Amino acid sequence: MLNLFFTGMLFFVVSYPVSAALNVFACEPEWASLVQELGRDKVSVFSATTAQQDPHHIQARPSLIAKMHRADLLVCTGADLETGWLPVLLRRAANPKVQPGQPAYFEAAQHVSLLDKPVRLDRAEGDIHAAGDPHLHLNPHNISQITKALTLTLAAIDSQNAALYHQYENDFLTRWQQAMAQWEKQAAPLRDMGIVTQHKSWTYLIDWLGMKEITRLEPKPGVPPSTAYLTQVLATLQQQPARAILVAPYQNPQAADWLHSRTTIPVVFLPYTVGGNAEVTNLFELFDSTISKLLALTKP
Amino acid sequence: MKTFGLSCIAFAGITLIVPQTLFATEKDELETLRKEVNQLKKQVASQTTLSPSPSSFNPAISLILMGRYATFDNDPEDYAIPGVSLPEETDPGPEGFSIGESELVISANVDNLFFGRFTTALTPENEVEIEEALIQTLALPAGLTAQFGRFYSDIGYLNSKHVHQWDFVDQPLVYRAYLGNQYNDDGLQLRWLAPTDMFLEFGGEVFRGENYPAGGAANHGAGSYTLFMKAGNDVGISHNWLAGLSYLATQSDNRQTEAGDTLFSGDEDTVIADLVWKWAPAGNDSVTSLVFQTEYMVNLEKGDYTIGGNIDPIDRNNTGWYAQLLYKFKPRWRTGLRYDRLSIGNPGSAFSGTSLDTQGQTPKRVSAMVDFSHSEYSRFRLQFNRDESYAVTDNQWYLQYTMSLGAHGAHRY
């Protein structure tokens, strides 16, 4: 019985095929997309979540443990965004390479300055993140900064292809700078546009485009609105009108729909990340789609 | 020091900018400068708390507070599963108001090689129990992980789940009867994760053999061992599953149950097959989800019971299973249904009139519950059991709260 058990184990170890590409475990689709841009055929990327799933709340399901076990590099947001599932995966995945502190453990939040750091750390304030708002990929300037750091990480753990990663980085950044200039020009009419958000997912986008968040549908991050609170939201909107209610694909639009029925402010589903709608398959299309959806609101 | 330096930079930035604004006549320029100042302020604000404090290396501390109100048709003192000599704390608990076990969990990485977790349960009787005091390795090669200290065995699906993670107020009858709710003990675990696309894990444990279903730390303090394998995967984006097969072998040396007047010496082996299947539309369980869970156990007893001074041999097979369905029907609300059933082998006429006499009963139970979680840290639950563990059917109602304070770690699947 025991002999059989160990022979079986040995069989798995020996028969496991070794793949040439760098196995990358990305926590969110935006990082999967960025790694793909920077690694091309040298990487094999897996995204643990999709745009339809809330990155705060993910089941630490068995397939993720298996995927993380075989990863050569881990790319996540950090800033406690994945605190409900990543630590348990890391502890179960038996992969010393990607543990926090190792070169193959990459947290995007370490490489940009975070907005909205809470003044008061108390759960009564809702689902707050001590390090600051983690939805940081929605400012393309952050993507540039993270690109530089991520290329260094790729080059360090796969030094054979270091020159290639830098070449892909330069190519990506050139296209990215051009695209950013274009987006900023296009988005000029969005400056000072008043909007309502469902969850605090758009801080970086709002900051980048100079929009104004009039109010939020969640009284506190992660806390669903009560009727009394929604009445308050209505009162605020009477004084300061808003052009749109922004909702991410993974969010339940119930409260947004209610507000729409009371105010006729349109509910706008922005893609939020790669895969957030049918036309968004990479980071360029993410901002193309986001800006065109917002610009559509400025037209009469 | 760093904070002071940054404030200086910000201040210098502001003083440099201010005189220029006096000459700036165009609105645009003013606007850009204002933005720059704001940016500087933000930078300073985001970096002010970076200086390490002596407490930043403190472990994560989490406290779980639980309590309930219960009402039963029968006296909970009369509770029994005929045919099984039950250990402590396996009854339906007290009626009326009571707090459950408060759980205090302290955990941290010890260094780059080890992770440690300490879980104490503070019982309503003001006793302290160490439930877990475990060290887990973080950097063994070849997919291996070792764990040692005191911990819950990884057999079955529910065995390693802490009380606050249970989907019902109580454990299934199979866990009550064959594992004393949950089997934990002092020992060593080694597990191996196969480098496959599908999740495949094999493991084994050796334990002291002090706790039920073991007892008396037989075999020189290495009285029980386990073997388990687990497999799991995704099916499309909306479905995922985990299945397991486990084996627990225990030796007992005068194991005491039923207030110490029933002794058992011999072997008790348990085989558990478990399956969990979860579904959520597009893998997003924020609004709706469905979880099916079932476990089947075969329990073999061989040895001698000493009851009231008489020693009688026993050799019998017992089985049992439960199945449950959990449905999240709107954000924060779940409802669940569970069915339990045991089939306990006839120990022979020598045991008539003792707690091991099955009295021809087939213990079974139906449970229904609904719970509401205001946030992921607070939950209220209402549960009803129609309990037919013994001859007199009992209707049991529970109203339970579970609150979690402080750093709350991620949960396993």
Side-chain angles (χ1 to χ4, degrees):
Chain A
M1 169 66 199
L2 276 180
N3 271 342
L4 199 73
F5 196 73
F6 288 113
T7 319
M9 279 190 181
L10 208 67
F11 173 76
F12 273 111
V13 176
V14 175
S15 66
Y16 169 60
V18 181
S19 107
L22 200 69
N23 272 319
V24 183
F25 182 103
C27 284
E28 289 88 21
E30 58 267 24
W31 309 130
S33 187
L34 185 60
V35 172
Q36 198 64 66
E37 294 275 2
L38 300 175
R40 300 196 192 172
D41 60 330
K42 297 296 167 206
V43 292
S44 160
V45 191
F46 168 78
S47 176
T49 58
T50 71
Q52 282 70 39
Q53 299 168 346
D54 184 346
H56 301 89
H57 304 287
I58 296 295
Q59 292 272 339
R61 46 184 212 279
S63 66
L64 295 184
I65 297 173
K67 283 285 189 323
M68 189 178 286
H69 177 51
R70 296 173 58 188
D72 301 307
L73 170 64
L74 191 81
V75 181
C76 293
T77 301
D80 288 348
L81 178 66
E82 300 98 350
T83 192
W85 51 283
L86 190 59
V88 71
L89 291 180
L90 283 164
R91 265 208 313 283
R92 301 299 297 187
N95 185 348
K97 264 191 294 191
V98 298
Q99 296 297 320
Q102 296 298 318
Y105 175 86
F106 184 91
E107 268 187 7
Q110 300 281 341
H111 304 280
V112 295
S113 54
L114 301 181
L115 299 178
D116 285 357
K117 205 182 176 110
V119 206
R120 213 166 75 89
L121 278 183
D122 186 336
R123 288 264 162 75
E125 297 298 314
D127 227 340
I128 51 169
H129 297 274
D133 190 321
H135 306 278
L136 52 93
H137 68 285
L138 287 172
N139 182 339
H141 292 276
N142 285 348
I143 300 279
S144 306
Q145 271 171 273
I146 291 156
T147 298
K148 288 170 195 154
L150 187 54
T151 308
L152 291 177
T153 298
L154 281 166
I157 59 171
D158 184 17
S159 49
Q160 276 187 326
N161 294 314
L164 215 50
Y165 292 129
H166 284 292
Q167 186 194 322
Y168 296 155
E169 175 199 21
N170 285 334
D171 176 61
F172 173 76
L173 283 179
T174 313
R175 288 182 292 133
W176 194 251
Q177 297 298 344
Q178 284 166 0
M180 277 203 294
Q182 176 96 28
W183 292 325
E184 283 169 6
K185 216 167 100 192
Q186 284 175 339
L190 299 178
R191 187 153 293 278
D192 294 328
M193 184 168 95
I195 45 143
V196 182
T197 60
Q198 168 124 0
H199 172 76
K200 229 168 88 63
S201 328
W202 311 102
T203 314
Y204 293 85
L205 185 73
I206 291 165
D207 181 61
W208 174 49
L209 297 176
M211 298 191 291
K212 279 210 178 94
E213 187 178 37
I214 306 289
T215 182
R216 218 176 276 146
L217 283 171
E218 285 181 353
K220 296 201 162 142
V223 178
S226 62
T227 325
Y229 176 76
L230 285 174
T231 319
Q232 207 180 310
V233 167
L234 278 178
T236 312
L237 286 171
Q238 262 158 15
Q239 286 171 355
Q240 295 171 275
R243 300 291 282 271
I245 309 161
L246 302 188
V247 181
Y250 65 80
Q251 288 161 352
N252 176 16
Q254 204 186 11
D257 287 340
W258 179 87
L259 189 63
H260 169 70
S261 71
R262 301 296 291 265
T263 59
T264 72
I265 302 173
V267 177
V268 179
F269 279 90
L270 291 184
Y272 178 74
T273 183
V274 177
N277 64 39
E279 65 211 32
V280 176
T281 60
N282 62 37
L283 289 165
F284 292 93
E285 290 165 0
L286 168 63
F287 288 98
D288 283 342
S289 170
T290 303
I291 287 171
S292 77
K293 277 180 187 294
L294 289 171
L295 282 174
L297 296 164
T298 61
K299 285 161 195 145
Chain B
M1 194 61 212
K2 199 167 183 181
T3 314
F4 176 67
L6 281 165
S7 313
C8 280
I9 295 167
F11 182 67
I14 292 161
T15 48
L16 275 175
I17 289 157
V18 169
Q20 284 178 25
T21 57
L22 297 175
F23 303 102
T25 45
E26 284 177 40
K27 258 190 165 179
D28 283 2
E29 216 168 312
L30 253 172
E31 186 65 22
T32 358
L33 289 167
R34 208 170 278 149
K35 267 176 73 184
E36 276 171 24
V37 173
N38 279 336
Q39 196 64 38
L40 274 168
K41 274 187 195 162
K42 262 182 208 165
Q43 275 177 18
V44 172
S46 69
Q47 288 173 37
T48 40
T49 48
L50 276 181
S51 56
S53 72
S55 64
S56 29
F57 285 107
N58 279 353
I61 299 174
S62 146
L63 178 68
I64 315 279
L65 297 180
M66 289 195 293
R68 66 185 203 190
Y69 179 81
T71 171
F72 310 128
D73 281 358
N74 298 355
D75 185 349
E77 295 289 319
D78 295 341
Y79 184 83
I81 297 177
V84 181
S85 179
L86 287 171
E88 285 179 345
E89 292 175 29
T90 46
D91 53 39
E95 273 198 284
F97 291 103
S98 64
I99 59 164
E101 287 182 350
S102 309
E103 219 174 63
L104 182 66
V105 188
I106 301 174
S107 66
N109 285 340
V110 179
D111 53 26
N112 60 331
L113 297 184
F114 303 104
F115 165 84
R117 185 168 66 216
F118 180 72
T119 308
T120 50
L122 307 156
T123 67
E125 295 80 33
N126 303 328
E127 286 166 352
V128 180
E129 279 171 20
I130 298 175
E131 287 190 338
E132 280 181 324
L134 67 87
I135 300 294
Q136 189 208 294
T137 62
L138 294 170
L140 284 189
L144 292 168
T145 304
Q147 186 170 294
F148 46 90
R150 177 175 299 175
F151 54 95
Y152 288 111
S153 168
D154 250 326
I155 53 169
Y157 177 73
L158 274 183
N159 193 67
S160 57
K161 295 265 183 287
H162 288 239
V163 181
H164 71 269
Q165 291 167 265
W166 295 358
D167 294 323
F168 290 85
V169 171
D170 39 24
Q171 281 285 68
L173 293 181
V174 274
Y175 274 90
R176 219 176 235 185
Y178 305 139
L179 297 171
N181 275 345
Q182 283 177 286
Y183 179 53
N184 75 335
D185 215 333
D186 302 356
L188 166 71
Q189 180 194 68
L190 190 66
R191 54 178 199 260
W192 177 69
L193 188 59
T196 47
D197 238 2
M198 176 184 165
F199 172 79
L200 205 54
E201 191 181 61
F202 300 86
E205 295 156 329
V206 183
F207 286 111
R208 179 172 171 79
E210 189 72 58
N211 295 340
Y212 188 89
N219 192 21
H220 308 288
S224 41
Y225 74 92
T226 73
L227 287 173
F228 58 85
M229 64 164 288
K230 295 173 194 294
N233 213 346
D234 293 347
V235 179
I237 195 83
S238 306
H239 299 259
N240 42 75
W241 59 273
L242 176 69
L245 191 63
S246 329
Y247 174 66
L248 164 69
T250 60
Q251 282 178 37
S252 292
D253 183 7
N254 284 324
R255 176 186 82 192
Q256 298 190 357
T257 45
E258 300 286 329
D261 68 358
T262 303
L263 302 177
F264 174 71
S265 291
D267 296 336
E268 186 168 336
D269 295 352
T270 307
V271 176
I272 311 170
D274 62 86
L275 173 72
V276 179
W277 192 286
K278 297 190 183 183
W279 169 85
N284 183 342
D285 61 8
S286 62
V287 179
T288 179
S289 70
L290 207 58
V291 180
F292 173 75
Q293 178 181 324
T294 186
E295 294 188 68
Y296 177 78
M297 290 192 198
V298 180
N299 174 265
L300 314 168
E301 282 174 282
K302 196 171 180 180
D304 297 303
Y305 267 102
T306 312
I307 305 171
N310 296 329
I311 303 177
D312 286 301
I314 197 164
D315 183 358
R316 63 170 178 176
N317 298 356
N318 312 312
T319 60
W321 60 277
Y322 76 90
Q324 67 179 53
L325 195 64
L326 243 80
Y327 175 47
K328 185 170 183 176
F329 56 98
K330 58 191 273 189
R332 311 192 285 167
W333 287 88
R334 302 187 311 166
T335 182
L337 199 63
R338 179 181 66 187
Y339 182 75
D340 271 296
R341 198 179 174 94
L342 297 178
S343 168
I344 295 158
N346 189 348
S349 55
F351 290 94
S352 355
T354 71
S355 61
L356 290 157
D357 185 350
T358 60
Q359 299 163 22
Q361 291 288 316
T362 304
K364 49 186 180 284
R365 184 175 65 178
V366 182
S367 312
M369 78 89 193
V370 57
D371 68 18
F372 169 74
S373 305
H374 170 68
S375 71
E376 53 192 306
Y377 310 107
S378 65
R379 183 178 56 214
F380 292 92
R381 173 178 291 151
L382 178 68
Q383 181 176 324
F384 169 74
N385 290 343
R386 185 175 170 80
D387 190 323
E388 294 173 51
S389 294
Y390 57 104
V392 191
T393 302
D394 193 10
N395 293 311
Q396 304 162 342
W397 288 93
Y398 294 97
L399 188 61
Q400 184 199 37
Y401 67 83
T402 307
M403 303 282 157
S404 113
L405 289 70
H408 195 61
H411 281 163
R412 285 171 64 183
Y413 182 78

